Amino acid sequence: MIEKEVSELRRQLRPDRSGISKVYGCYVNENRTIVSTFEQSLGLVTQEEAESYLGLLKKSLSGALGKNLHDVPFTNEQVMHGEAHALLCRLRDSRLEDAGARNELYQKVISCVSLGENYLILLAHNAYDVPYRGKDDLSGDSEDVFSHILCSICPVKKTKPGLGYDYQQQVFCSIAGSWLVSPPQLGFLFPAFDDRTTNLYSALCYTRSDDDAHEAFLQTIFQAEALKPAMEQRRSFESVLSGALEEECSMTVVQAVHEQLSDMIQLHKESRVPEPLFVPRTAIEEVLEDCGVSEQHLDAFQKQFDETFGAGQAVSPKNIIDSRRFDIQTPGVTIHVKPEARALVQTKTIDGIHYIMIRAEDNVEVSGVNIRFEPEQPAGQTEPSPS
């Protein structure tokens, strides 16, 4: 799926647009025991409550593709004979009215998800009448209906007791803590909405954290292998860069790689191309070569990159760098540099001691205080010793 298709589905999750008439839920405690199950008609709740249910489902379609949202493909064998795919189809085809299929999904989720606290498994079926869009981008009626299910797995947290206002008694008094549903940690859409139509050969999985692959969840619900989380991809890329280049991994090289990948991200954003951006290994090698990295270390980079990410695999630049910041760290000092100012930083070795040098072009503040630079001393002259 592409961002435009995800956004189109998100826009439908409003009370005045949604085709969701009912939601189903399973409340699970921290010991993985079912506390209760329910089904709730959205026509019998307040608008505020309906918006809350739809808001939780909408959160499962949020975040960045490749980071929080991941396409989960199914093989021909899985579609034809796979148990996991068959269950998802039963749920969708019955519009979640198959109680046996719902309970089977609940048990599968409970067997592989442990949030260390109570959580809610929220399910809904939606039938989206996809409007036709021609070359002039005009929309109209269409016979294509995208029938799909949404699932959100949400922690349920207890608020702390405190002083609150009792409207009936019109006094402030002690209010007991209550259990509130938090935004989802996990979720999925089935089937995928590719090219604005149904794709039974794919699902879309949501993870709130970009540092957790939720391997057990993907294997149990989809019989799929877990993808490497975005944060792990970044750490892996940093390790490959420093490990392969060794002594040639200089400030200049890292600055060039960060600048080139950041420019790619910005240009892709400005071009409004709907497909996610992926960069092949060769594009990064060109940057390294321009920086004068030796052939020996380029070969090492190629080998380690392919071992880490897979031979011939492209990576999302958003997952391997943070284009919004450029950080420099030593054991005792951390320097945060705006990406556009990364060129002001350089490294030098003077009398055998390594220094990080930042060219100061404007006012400099230290702990909020404007400081002045001491005048340059003539060559060979040193500061007088204090008496």
Side-chain angles (χ1 to χ4, degrees):
M1 290 180 62
I2 62 176
E3 291 182 6
K4 197 171 183 179
E5 293 160 349
V6 175
S7 297
E8 184 173 350
L9 294 182
R10 280 172 52 84
R11 288 194 294 270
Q12 307 311 310
L13 294 174
R14 292 172 24 183
D16 59 335
R17 290 186 177 182
S18 172
I20 297 174
S21 60
K22 186 184 294 186
V23 293
Y24 298 85
C26 178
Y27 184 29
V28 184
N29 66 20
E30 60 183 2
N31 298 318
R32 296 187 177 185
T33 302
I34 294 178
V35 177
S36 65
T37 59
F38 67 89
E39 56 181 89
Q40 177 65 62
S41 170
L42 295 188
L44 299 178
V45 300
T46 65
Q47 181 174 344
E48 183 179 357
E49 290 169 339
E51 289 175 350
S52 295
Y53 279 122
L54 295 177
L56 293 172
L57 295 168
K58 188 176 183 179
K59 280 286 186 181
S60 292
L61 294 175
S62 62
L65 287 169
K67 182 176 291 188
N68 307 102
L69 295 170
H70 303 274
D71 287 314
V72 182
F74 295 100
T75 64
N76 287 334
E77 178 64 23
Q78 287 176 307
V79 174
M80 295 296 294
H81 307 291
E83 176 187 336
H85 191 275
L87 175 60
L88 294 172
C89 285
R90 280 174 57 198
L91 290 163
R92 184 193 78 130
D93 296 343
S94 70
R95 297 174 173 260
L96 293 176
E97 293 181 4
D98 186 332
R102 289 201 312 272
N103 290 331
E104 188 175 343
L105 179 66
Y106 294 155
Q107 293 299 333
K108 280 180 174 288
V109 172
I110 292 169
S111 71
C112 64
V113 174
S114 177
L115 301 182
E117 56 190 338
N118 298 4
Y119 63 86
L120 168 67
I121 306 170
L122 185 66
L123 291 171
H125 172 272
N126 194 11
Y128 171 41
D129 190 3
V130 184
Y132 172 77
R133 293 189 183 277
K135 293 182 180 180
D136 56 359
D137 205 32
L138 294 177
S139 60
D141 295 335
S142 170
E143 295 180 356
D144 187 11
V145 176
F146 176 52
S147 174
H148 58 282
I149 57 173
L150 284 164
C151 175
S152 295
I153 301 174
C154 311
V156 180
K157 302 176 182 291
K158 189 171 185 179
T159 61
K160 294 182 179 180
L163 193 65
Y165 188 72
D166 187 323
Y167 282 92
Q168 291 184 342
Q169 302 295 327
Q170 295 187 349
V171 295
F172 284 93
C173 59
S174 179
I175 302 294
S178 58
W179 293 92
L180 294 179
V181 181
S182 300
Q185 293 287 335
L186 278 166
F188 68 84
L189 161 78
F190 177 82
F193 188 54
D194 288 330
D195 293 326
R196 305 185 70 241
T197 191
T198 302
N199 179 8
L200 290 171
Y201 283 80
S202 185
L204 188 70
C205 182
Y206 166 81
T207 60
R208 187 178 185 186
S209 170
D210 60 3
D211 200 18
D212 191 342
H214 294 285
E215 297 180 22
F217 180 76
L218 286 170
Q219 177 60 41
T220 303
I221 304 302
F222 306 108
Q223 293 180 340
E225 296 298 324
L227 298 174
K228 185 176 289 189
M231 192 59 67
E232 187 178 337
Q233 290 184 46
R234 183 176 302 169
R235 296 193 193 103
S236 297
F237 179 73
E238 293 164 352
S239 178
V240 167
L241 199 62
S242 60
L245 272 53
E246 297 179 325
E247 72 277 1
E248 292 189 28
C249 189
S250 65
M251 173 70 78
T252 301
V253 169
V254 175
Q255 285 172 325
V257 171
H258 191 276
E259 181 178 4
Q260 185 69 19
L261 294 176
S262 297
D263 288 347
M264 290 180 180
I265 293 171
Q266 184 61 31
L267 287 172
H268 181 265
K269 181 179 180 181
E270 292 173 356
S271 68
R272 298 185 180 275
V273 175
E275 288 78 14
L277 173 65
F278 288 92
V279 175
R281 184 201 69 237
T282 52
I284 303 172
E285 286 179 332
E286 289 176 4
V287 179
L288 300 180
E289 191 172 2
D290 290 343
C291 291
V293 174
S294 66
E295 186 174 344
Q296 174 189 350
H297 286 121
L298 286 174
D299 290 341
F301 176 80
Q302 175 182 342
K303 180 180 178 182
Q304 292 188 29
F305 186 96
D306 288 350
E307 289 176 351
T308 302
F309 296 99
Q313 293 295 316
V315 294
S316 168
K318 288 183 178 180
N319 290 353
I320 59 175
I321 68 160
D322 186 346
S323 61
R324 298 167 297 181
R325 56 193 298 168
F326 186 77
D327 293 344
I328 302 163
Q329 293 180 328
T330 71
V333 177
T334 299
I335 305 171
H336 302 294
V337 182
K338 291 182 178 181
E340 59 270 22
R342 64 174 80 83
L344 299 177
V345 185
Q346 58 180 312
T347 57
K348 279 193 176 181
T349 302
I350 304 174
D351 296 332
I353 301 176
H354 302 313
Y355 291 91
I356 299 169
M357 308 185 73
I358 304 173
R359 188 167 73 250
E361 297 183 333
D362 299 308
N363 294 336
V364 176
E365 290 186 2
V366 177
S367 296
V369 179
N370 268 314
I371 65 167
R372 300 291 184 268
F373 286 85
E374 298 171 358
E376 185 176 2
Q377 299 294 322
Q381 182 175 335
T382 59
E383 287 287 332
S385 301
S387 55

